[in-house]
Amino acid sequence: VDKKEVFYDKLTFVYLQLPNFKKGLEELESLEEKWYYLLRHLSEWEERPKEMGDSVFDKLFSLAELSLLSRQERELYEDSLKYYRDVKNTIDTAREEGFNEGRAEGLREGMERGRLEERLLFARRLLEKGFSVAQIAELTGLDERELLDLIH
């Protein structure tokens, strides 16, 4: 059955026959060609060629280096990676908890300052209306010394 009907226009298949890619390392002109070359010749390299210095290849070369480790070296690497992730998660959790606690404390302090400012404003108004310092202290809950500071 050879109908050649398009069943989904967003999907394209590209078939690459790596043995047919014959360009040399110095001839590569695009990132796409570098990928083709890399896929064809990666197993032949002992080190990363300078022509493959693009950051897009960093993770690939890191994984390729890991594949060269012995079983014991890989286990040690994975153990150290697990330890690193555990420590990082612990630090991140502590940082987040500290941030949340600091935020809550800051909110409490801000609200307390706001209440004090409100009481001081109310006390000022009472002073303007002729109330005595003792009466204002009783009505606002402020200390008489705070009220005397407010007057001066």
Side-chain angles (χ1 to χ4, degrees), residues 14 43 50 58 99 112 115 134 141 149:
V14 175
S43 63
K50 65 178 173 39
D58 289 346
F99 174 78
E112 287 173 17
R115 281 190 213 106
D149 287 343

PDB file of all heavy atoms in Angstrom, residues 14 43 50 58 99 112 115 134 141 149:
ATOM      1  N   VAL A  14      13.272  12.240   9.468  1.00  0.00           N
ATOM      2  CA  VAL A  14      14.508  12.439   8.730  1.00  0.00           C
ATOM      3  C   VAL A  14      15.347  11.194   8.965  1.00  0.00           C
ATOM      4  O   VAL A  14      15.607  10.821  10.110  1.00  0.00           O
ATOM      5  CB  VAL A  14      15.270  13.693   9.223  1.00  0.00           C
ATOM      6  CG1 VAL A  14      16.609  13.816   8.530  1.00  0.00           C
ATOM      7  CG2 VAL A  14      14.432  14.938   9.027  1.00  0.00           C
ATOM      8  N   SER A  43      32.870   7.443  19.362  1.00  0.00           N
ATOM      9  CA  SER A  43      33.533   6.258  19.931  1.00  0.00           C
ATOM     10  C   SER A  43      35.027   6.204  19.606  1.00  0.00           C
ATOM     11  O   SER A  43      35.779   5.469  20.248  1.00  0.00           O
ATOM     12  CB  SER A  43      32.846   4.986  19.435  1.00  0.00           C
ATOM     13  OG  SER A  43      32.976   4.890  18.025  1.00  0.00           O
ATOM     14  N   LYS A  50      38.620  20.367  19.889  1.00  0.00           N
ATOM     15  CA  LYS A  50      38.323  21.789  20.122  1.00  0.00           C
ATOM     16  C   LYS A  50      37.187  22.282  19.239  1.00  0.00           C
ATOM     17  O   LYS A  50      36.444  23.169  19.605  1.00  0.00           O
ATOM     18  CB  LYS A  50      39.571  22.648  19.949  1.00  0.00           C
ATOM     19  CG  LYS A  50      40.149  22.690  18.557  1.00  0.00           C
ATOM     20  CD  LYS A  50      41.353  23.617  18.509  1.00  0.00           C
ATOM     21  CE  LYS A  50      42.106  23.611  17.222  1.00  0.00           C
ATOM     22  NZ  LYS A  50      41.422  23.532  15.995  1.00  0.00           N
ATOM     23  N   ASP A  58      28.179  20.016  25.979  1.00  0.00           N
ATOM     24  CA  ASP A  58      28.761  19.808  27.308  1.00  0.00           C
ATOM     25  C   ASP A  58      28.189  18.584  28.024  1.00  0.00           C
ATOM     26  O   ASP A  58      28.928  17.743  28.527  1.00  0.00           O
ATOM     27  CB  ASP A  58      28.580  21.049  28.187  1.00  0.00           C
ATOM     28  CG  ASP A  58      29.455  22.214  27.734  1.00  0.00           C
ATOM     29  OD1 ASP A  58      30.380  21.987  26.926  1.00  0.00           O
ATOM     30  OD2 ASP A  58      29.216  23.344  28.194  1.00  0.00           O
ATOM     31  N   PHE A  99      13.486  31.524  55.275  1.00  0.00           N
ATOM     32  CA  PHE A  99      12.835  32.628  54.560  1.00  0.00           C
ATOM     33  C   PHE A  99      11.400  32.802  55.044  1.00  0.00           C
ATOM     34  O   PHE A  99      10.957  33.908  55.333  1.00  0.00           O
ATOM     35  CB  PHE A  99      12.861  32.366  53.053  1.00  0.00           C
ATOM     36  CG  PHE A  99      12.100  33.379  52.252  1.00  0.00           C
ATOM     37  CD1 PHE A  99      12.644  34.627  51.980  1.00  0.00           C
ATOM     38  CD2 PHE A  99      10.826  33.099  51.783  1.00  0.00           C
ATOM     39  CE1 PHE A  99      11.939  35.572  51.252  1.00  0.00           C
ATOM     40  CE2 PHE A  99      10.105  34.027  51.051  1.00  0.00           C
ATOM     41  CZ  PHE A  99      10.662  35.275  50.790  1.00  0.00           C
ATOM     42  N   GLU A 112       2.865  45.052  64.354  1.00  0.00           N
ATOM     43  CA  GLU A 112       3.023  45.693  65.667  1.00  0.00           C
ATOM     44  C   GLU A 112       3.387  47.166  65.506  1.00  0.00           C
ATOM     45  O   GLU A 112       2.843  48.030  66.191  1.00  0.00           O
ATOM     46  CB  GLU A 112       4.094  44.968  66.487  1.00  0.00           C
ATOM     47  CG  GLU A 112       3.651  43.617  67.003  1.00  0.00           C
ATOM     48  CD  GLU A 112       4.781  42.841  67.655  1.00  0.00           C
ATOM     49  OE1 GLU A 112       5.821  43.446  68.006  1.00  0.00           O
ATOM     50  OE2 GLU A 112       4.622  41.610  67.815  1.00  0.00           O
ATOM     51  N   ARG A 115       0.314  49.047  64.448  1.00  0.00           N
ATOM     52  CA  ARG A 115      -0.607  49.291  65.561  1.00  0.00           C
ATOM     53  C   ARG A 115      -0.098  50.437  66.438  1.00  0.00           C
ATOM     54  O   ARG A 115      -0.873  51.285  66.881  1.00  0.00           O
ATOM     55  CB  ARG A 115      -0.775  48.017  66.396  1.00  0.00           C
ATOM     56  CG  ARG A 115      -1.712  47.025  65.762  1.00  0.00           C
ATOM     57  CD  ARG A 115      -2.041  45.884  66.747  1.00  0.00           C
ATOM     58  NE  ARG A 115      -2.224  44.676  65.974  1.00  0.00           N
ATOM     59  CZ  ARG A 115      -1.371  43.669  65.900  1.00  0.00           C
ATOM     60  NH1 ARG A 115      -0.265  43.681  66.606  1.00  0.00           N
ATOM     61  NH2 ARG A 115      -1.626  42.626  65.147  1.00  0.00           N
ATOM     62  N   ALA A 134      -2.819  61.571  81.184  1.00  0.00           N
ATOM     63  CA  ALA A 134      -3.305  60.391  81.914  1.00  0.00           C
ATOM     64  C   ALA A 134      -4.511  59.785  81.200  1.00  0.00           C
ATOM     65  O   ALA A 134      -4.618  58.554  81.084  1.00  0.00           O
ATOM     66  CB  ALA A 134      -3.675  60.779  83.338  1.00  0.00           C
ATOM     67  N   GLY A 141      -3.547  52.929  75.831  1.00  0.00           N
ATOM     68  CA  GLY A 141      -2.671  51.879  76.342  1.00  0.00           C
ATOM     69  C   GLY A 141      -1.203  52.228  76.187  1.00  0.00           C
ATOM     70  O   GLY A 141      -0.339  51.403  76.416  1.00  0.00           O
ATOM     71  N   ASP A 149       6.952  62.200  75.024  1.00  0.00           N
ATOM     72  CA  ASP A 149       7.844  62.314  73.858  1.00  0.00           C
ATOM     73  C   ASP A 149       7.068  62.819  72.650  1.00  0.00           C
ATOM     74  O   ASP A 149       7.579  63.577  71.827  1.00  0.00           O
ATOM     75  CB  ASP A 149       8.479  60.964  73.521  1.00  0.00           C
ATOM     76  CG  ASP A 149       9.539  60.548  74.516  1.00  0.00           C
ATOM     77  OD1 ASP A 149      10.031  61.423  75.277  1.00  0.00           O
ATOM     78  OD2 ASP A 149       9.902  59.345  74.533  1.00  0.00           O
TER      79      ASP A 149
END
